[in-house]
Amino acid sequence: MKKAACLFCSFILFALIGIPVFGYSYTAFSQSDTNSDYNLTRTIEELIDWKKSDAGAKEGESIFTAAFLAQAGATAGDWYPIGMGRYGYPENYQSYLAVLADNVSVRYGTENKLDKYKATEWHRIALAVAATGGNPRAVGEYDGAPIDLISDGTYNRGFTVSPGRQGINGWIWGLIALDCKRYDVPEDACHQRQDFIREILRAQLADGGYALTGNLSDPDVTAMAVQALAPYYNSEIVYEYTSAKITEKDENGQELRGEQGGLVYKTMQKTVRQVIDECVEKLAQMQEEDGDYSSWGVQNVESACQVVVALTSLGIDPLSDQRFVTASGKTLLDGIMKYRLENGGFVHSFTYDPDNPTSLPDKANSMAGEQVLYALVALWRNQNAMRTLYDMRAEFGDGEKALIEDAKAAIGALSDNSEKVEVSAALEKYVAVDELDRCYVANYCNLSSLAKKYGLKLPEESLVFSGNQSEENGVITLFMPSDSEAVSALPAVEKLSTENYVEVVTLFEKLKNAENREDYKGEYITLEKAYNRIAEIQAEIDDIKTEIKKKLYPFDSISLSERSTVLELYNRYMALSEYDRSQFEASDIEGLLKCKTQVDNLLTALIVGLGCCVAAAVTIVSVVLHIRMRRKKKAAEEMVESDE
């Protein structure tokens, strides 16, 4: 149980900011914009405002509208919360986490869970949960136990499908997710940290960078590899591995082949630092004169964003490092800001991109915006001496920060002529920093070379982390009297619609995790019934959508024999509430109404046709009878004349 004082503080926090915040402390906005002509805080917040408008939120409302939360657990719905959470933007993350947990729980009940082959589904959602104050090791529930996205998506992913099934991205983002809280890896896990590191190193190209396919480096993938490897930049471990991309060649430059005719791949021995340095050099070479980058032949904003995140993950200031300042004085931030529109949003590119045909040069693009958001947040965190974007542990205390700064200062004072005693003193200051925070001593490599020169013993390294298994299984809070009132204010079960989904799920998730849930048994029953009813309605909506596509498509070929099917679907659709009917795609409803009109017209035509046939038949019968009567009359008259 939490201490009463902590609970009281939570109540005060609720009152002060007016939103449900739990399990997470927000960082006050900083106005620091050093080394920049741009106001980062204003740009970040105006971008968030643009996304709020894009999500249909009115001024002053939460970004987490029903439309936005419908994408929780999908790429379009998770990256903005990651950026906002890492910026400390005050929002109703409780609703987001509740809907996300419900989404994950439902998907875990399917055959493919989150995705059969894409491990990055687990990684992205884990990062979103961690960034918004949740616990990635307890997201929703499956088979009676909390869902552990870290275990299932990273070190034990290989028991189902290898993280590499998706390509290099599976290894990169698996390591990023694993390190977002420096999680432990059990001894019996399918993969250890070294496996992720080694697989990333193996995929390095001969030109020094990385790519999803081919042999030419792509700035995005190269930068992402750096982001994943950054926590190990100071490591002295030499990895020996067989390259997956670099082949052995003879003295004439011809690729060697083995006995079976296959290519012979080169055996490498490198530290993570060597690989990162080569990647950074490659990224510097690839930068465009405007400060941005081209990927797949298209200059775009997202590539520059990934490089900013990569450099800040190494403690490098992207605005002052001369390797990333072009001849005309343009920085990476210039390269990003050139894509900004007056409404605060960002475009993907100013040239047509066949891989992103919906992105227009005069219209803000949501994907571009999400990457700009977290890149600017990464830069903002760098300028404010905070943890890197994907290091989601608690922020540095004053003592921790002082140790890091002392070590950096001591190393910075060294030179090639420094005496052994000076180097030894700097080494002591470095060792005084917590092992998991030594990656923030960005100039360690200078100390490393001097320590080796004097034969000084470098600190022992461990890739087995500890102290990160104590997270609570889910968010713990109190169910408040105001929450009980909100439950009472819900519509009757028979009047519920999917419009009530977010409110019901948020309250239900909060009550399930509340310390005082036993005091609200009646509310629990009410919320459970409400949740189940909404789930039934959603299932009905999904089934109607499926049936429309399955049985009525193509809509212009419906015949009268399918009238019963059309009427059944139409009546089921009309039985839904007005809000629930709005959840359908316009094309499907237009098709359904078209089919209804078509079968109605066909039936009318049939009835009219039958009526005409009956009328014609009656007319024919009348004519025939009339003719017969005339014949009889004539015959009778002729018979009378013959008798005379």
Side-chain angles (χ1 to χ4, degrees), residues 578-613:
E578 182 178 352
Y579 182 87
D580 292 331
R581 292 199 296 269
S582 70
Q583 305 308 302
F584 289 79
E585 294 178 15
S587 58
D588 283 351
I589 299 311
E590 289 173 5
L592 175 61
L593 296 178
K594 178 180 179 181
C595 290
K596 171 71 165 52
T597 301
Q598 189 169 332
V599 295
D600 285 347
N601 290 340
L602 288 173
L603 180 61
T604 300
L606 177 61
I607 292 172
V608 171
L610 288 173
C612 291
C613 290

Side-chain angles (χ1 to χ4, degrees), residues 162 164 200 216 286 292 435 437 465 468-469 503 515 528:
S162 168
I200 297 173
L216 295 177
M286 298 171 73
D292 58 353
E435 181 181 358
D437 288 337
F465 301 154
N468 295 291
Q469 305 298 86
E503 184 179 12
E515 289 185 345
E528 186 173 43

